Amino acid sequence: ETGVTQSPTHLIKTRGQQVTLRCSSQSGHNTVSWYQQALGQGPQFIFQYYREEENGRGNFPPRFSGLQFPNYSSELNVNALELDDSALYLCASLRDRGYNEQFFGPGTRLTVL
Amino acid sequence: AQTVTQSQPEMSVQEAETVTLSCTYDTSESDYYLFWYKQPPSRQMILVIRQEAYKQQNATENRFSVNFQKAAKSFSLKISDSQLGDAAMYFCAYRSTVDNTDKLIFGTGTRLQVFP
């Protein structure tokens, strides 16, 4: 166990809907990254938040957005869901930017029908 | 842009034997970090081992060791005395030291099966 939790575990949505995924970072960690892992692929970086500000984004459209709260928990929001958004969504927290070890949560499995 | 390639979709090993998983990467940077992560069926990524590119010495963590060949851009993982609990997906990952983020660039993974 890494101390990083995610909710919900599984989620089923239909195309066009909106979804919010949640991540609770390990205690003392002020940085969180979100990744999308399609079936049979490695995780792809979506974005990172440091002290409540987005400090970097991967190749994902603006309908993928996020928030980080003062307690450093985080949300990933996806609007206008598409079938290709079906994936495992992972969050990873780290103690500070530049620190080596990232601790991953167990992920949320999103299915879009 | 950096890329990470894992050319072995699946590998298998007998319990107590040794197995090596391959990883190559492409980058124009001289300083960076490389990682091996394990993802069991529970889905939670676990860091197995990390290597700083400026260090010539290969990293070792108990039964896990790497063969880091910087010039060849190769970073293989050796698992000695394999155990049933080692069965999982293994991902090689790269992290830049000049990027503004801590993003990891992952390969497509190698599924390791361990037979008793």
Side-chain angles (χ1 to χ4, degrees):
Chain A
E1 294 296 321
T2 63
V4 180
T5 60
Q6 291 186 244
S7 62
T9 305
H10 297 90
L11 202 52
I12 299 175
K13 292 285 188 178
T14 56
R15 198 169 46 181
Q17 285 189 313
Q18 178 266 341
V19 69
T20 298
L21 311 181
R22 294 178 174 83
C23 172
S24 179
S25 299
Q26 184 160 320
S27 178
H29 288 192
N30 59 20
T31 305
V32 65
S33 296
W34 284 90
Y35 292 83
Q36 180 195 66
Q37 186 178 13
L39 199 61
Q41 300 296 316
Q44 299 284 320
F45 176 77
I46 303 174
F47 44 57
Q48 178 173 297
Y49 278 80
Y50 170 66
R51 294 189 175 185
E52 303 177 58
E53 296 285 331
E54 182 183 303
N55 76 301
R57 168 178 282 264
N59 190 24
F60 282 82
R63 59 189 185 83
F64 285 78
S65 63
L67 278 175
Q68 188 182 30
F69 299 100
N71 66 355
Y72 301 132
S73 65
S74 176
E75 285 183 356
L76 164 65
N77 299 289
V78 188
N79 294 322
L81 284 167
E82 300 176 0
L83 297 180
D84 285 348
D85 296 334
S86 295
L88 179 67
Y89 288 85
L90 300 168
C91 73
S93 75
L94 56 160
R95 193 171 68 189
D96 209 342
R97 285 181 55 192
Y99 190 71
N100 259 334
E101 185 162 1
Q102 300 191 32
F103 294 84
F104 283 82
T108 293
R109 171 75 65 192
L110 172 65
T111 301
V112 182
L113 302 176
Chain B
Q2 298 87 11
T3 58
V4 176
T5 302
Q6 293 180 250
S7 58
Q8 305 158 316
E10 287 195 12
M11 292 285 284
S12 61
V13 64
Q14 205 86 23
E15 201 175 3
E17 297 296 307
T18 295
V19 65
T20 298
L21 309 183
S22 301
C23 172
T24 59
Y25 59 94
D26 190 30
T27 184
S28 58
E29 297 173 353
S30 58
D31 196 17
Y32 46 85
Y33 297 94
L34 296 166
F35 305 85
W36 278 98
Y37 278 87
K38 171 184 177 182
Q39 187 177 41
S42 67
R43 310 183 316 204
Q44 196 148 18
M45 287 275 196
I46 302 163
L47 178 64
V48 174
I49 199 165
R50 61 173 162 246
Q51 174 81 43
E52 292 88 345
Y54 65 85
K55 290 186 178 178
Q56 292 186 339
Q57 188 171 6
N58 289 323
T60 300
E61 288 285 343
N62 301 315
R63 300 182 294 107
F64 300 88
S65 61
V66 298
N67 183 4
F68 173 50
Q69 301 289 327
K70 191 172 184 180
K73 296 179 182 174
S74 170
F75 182 62
S76 60
L77 174 70
K78 185 170 84 170
I79 305 174
S80 304
D81 186 25
S82 297
Q83 300 175 359
L84 295 177
D86 294 334
M89 284 292 292
Y90 285 82
F91 291 95
C92 177
Y94 172 102
R95 182 169 89 76
S96 168
T97 57
V98 299
D99 197 287
N100 190 43
T101 73
D102 299 280
K103 76 175 179 185
L104 297 170
I105 300 169
F106 287 88
T108 52
T110 296
R111 181 174 303 281
L112 177 66
Q113 293 181 304
V114 182
F115 295 103

